[in-house]
Amino acid sequence: MGGPGDPPEGTPDGTPSGAEDEYRSVVFDESFVRAARLQEYSARERMTDHTPAVRRRPHLHRGLPRQALFLLLLIAVAFATAIYMGVRTPYRSPLSPRAVEPLRAAVVPLVPAGKVPGSADLAHLYANSPAAQFATGAEGIPLPAHRSTEHFSDSQVVAALTGARDYIVASSVDPAVLVGGSTEAVRALLDPGQLDQFDRSVGGSAGRDAGGGAGRGAGRPAAGSGDVAATGWLVRFDAHRVELADSRIRVQGGLQVTEADAATLEVSADPVLVYALKPAGSTAAAPASLFTVRRELRFRFDHDDLRLHQVQLVVSTTEAGPLSCADDNTDHFHPLTAGRSAKAGGPAATDPYAPDGLTAVCGALAPAVQPKV
């Protein structure tokens, strides 16, 4: 007697053994039949007007799986981000550098009329000088009242004012720059278009004459070279000669911002900075003296400068004293300390605290600006 899958009368004679297994691979399961494009009409349907024996089934439109949709969306977002970052990247193409105006600078040494006054009592020294009411550091350069301009927002105006003040502090107040010899804090704030000129100036190569001689004009950049004195970029002292008697630099100055054109903001600054100095290696009881620097600076900012917190320093005029015109004050200032004197270097006294016209080449330090000790 046959099994459930065998013919009722058993397997016909002559059928090879294993024939059932031979045809098992061509038996269509239910899913295969349902997916077939052609479907036979039923007997009832064939009794109607249909002449064909089969009918074509419509396509089964299956949507994309969720994973595929998510992957496509992720690729689209990544592609859009790449395009956006390519347009907004803060790094400029080296093939198309922006034209940046080089710095124009003048440094005017101011010579004392007699011996430089000094005192070991710093409070007394400051109190008897025009710097008595000066603040210290950045507090001496408050941001003025400001508002947006025609082409720049209020936040961009603030960025310009802050950038100018940060440069003044880094280049005139930071002890690491003043006596440490480091210039990185200043360099980091400059527009890349001015870095070559800055590096030539602070590298000590700017304008030393062939003979290395001193005297008026010695060590100044050669005419037409495009280089300027390092002391036009920053304030720094020869650490072999002097040291800071007080790291709290007295400062007083103001800032003014104007819109130069639709793409440029300009900031003008006129800080007066006062330093207490002593000869290098002197004792704590050694008298200190005051050294005064007046800087008139003009900064320029385009949209990239504002976004990247950097400046273009385009004009710098510096009066500093007490100095001697016989010294080379191009690379470092060489202040005259307490008790020292020098010959007058100009025809008229110059007051660095007064916003009047600046003396050319070399001037005399007005006695009224020296401490009364």
Side-chain angles (χ1 to χ4, degrees):
M1 186 173 177
D6 295 334
E9 298 181 359
T11 303
D13 294 339
T15 301
S17 175
E20 181 179 354
D21 293 336
E22 178 180 357
Y23 292 100
R24 186 180 301 276
S25 61
V26 299
V27 175
F28 305 127
D29 59 13
E30 184 178 357
S31 61
F32 181 86
V33 173
R34 288 181 177 178
R37 294 283 305 281
L38 299 179
Q39 184 179 30
E40 184 179 4
Y41 286 105
S42 64
R44 184 181 299 278
E45 289 173 329
R46 287 198 299 270
M47 292 175 62
T48 62
D49 295 336
H50 293 286
T51 54
V54 296
R55 61 183 173 187
R56 187 175 297 275
R57 301 183 65 184
H59 286 287
L60 294 176
H61 298 285
R62 295 182 178 178
L64 291 174
R66 289 186 178 180
Q67 294 85 347
L69 288 174
F70 179 76
L71 181 60
L72 289 175
L73 179 61
L74 185 62
I75 293 174
V77 171
F79 185 70
T81 302
I83 294 177
Y84 176 80
M85 294 300 294
V87 173
R88 300 292 295 176
T89 178
Y91 301 102
R92 301 189 186 97
S93 170
L95 301 178
S96 56
R98 296 181 299 117
V100 176
E101 182 178 340
L103 171 64
R104 293 174 286 124
V107 179
V108 182
L110 302 180
V111 180
K115 290 185 178 181
V116 177
S119 173
D121 186 348
L122 292 180
H124 177 74
L125 198 63
Y126 285 123
N128 289 275
S129 76
Q133 303 302 321
F134 283 17
T136 57
E139 295 179 0
I141 313 173
L143 296 185
H146 50 78
R147 60 181 180 180
S148 60
T149 65
E150 183 178 357
H151 299 96
F152 291 88
S153 66
D154 183 74
S155 62
Q156 290 175 314
V157 171
V158 173
L161 292 168
T162 303
R165 182 173 66 177
D166 289 348
Y167 183 89
I168 295 170
V169 171
S171 63
S172 311
V173 177
D174 185 354
V177 175
L178 296 176
V179 292
S182 174
T183 60
E184 287 304 311
V186 182
R187 192 180 190 276
L189 291 172
L190 286 172
D191 185 288
Q194 291 190 309
L195 293 181
D196 286 344
Q197 186 188 22
F198 177 82
D199 291 341
R200 291 195 303 269
S201 296
V202 303
S205 61
R208 299 199 180 278
D209 58 9
R216 184 177 299 184
R220 291 187 173 87
S225 69
D227 293 348
V228 299
T231 46
W233 294 96
L234 46 82
V235 176
R236 65 178 180 180
F237 304 107
D238 186 348
H240 295 94
R241 294 194 183 188
V242 297
E243 62 184 42
L244 292 175
D246 186 1
S247 60
R248 297 169 298 173
I249 312 305
R250 270 48 176 188
V251 184
Q252 179 172 282
L255 301 170
Q256 291 184 334
V257 61
T258 58
E259 182 179 303
D261 54 51
T264 311
L265 283 175
E266 284 192 354
V267 175
S268 299
D270 59 347
V272 176
L273 306 111
V274 181
Y275 308 85
L277 303 175
K278 295 191 302 183
S282 58
T283 64
S289 59
L290 298 185
F291 184 79
T292 304
V293 177
R294 179 185 180 86
R295 307 183 74 188
E296 293 189 359
L297 308 171
R298 188 164 82 241
F299 300 92
R300 189 166 293 165
F301 301 84
D302 59 23
H303 288 279
D304 284 341
D305 293 324
L306 296 173
R307 180 167 53 86
L308 300 175
H309 191 62
Q310 59 194 22
V311 307
Q312 300 175 40
L313 179 60
V314 294
V315 177
S316 170
T317 305
T318 303
E319 293 177 331
L323 292 170
S324 172
C325 286
D327 288 331
D328 178 6
N329 294 289
T330 302
D331 197 42
H332 294 79
F333 288 120
H334 300 94
L336 298 172
T337 52
R340 296 184 60 193
S341 60
K343 295 181 180 180
T350 301
D351 182 354
Y353 293 91
D356 52 4
L358 296 178
T359 308
V361 184
C362 193
L365 186 64
V369 308
Q370 296 278 45
K372 307 299 186 294
V373 296

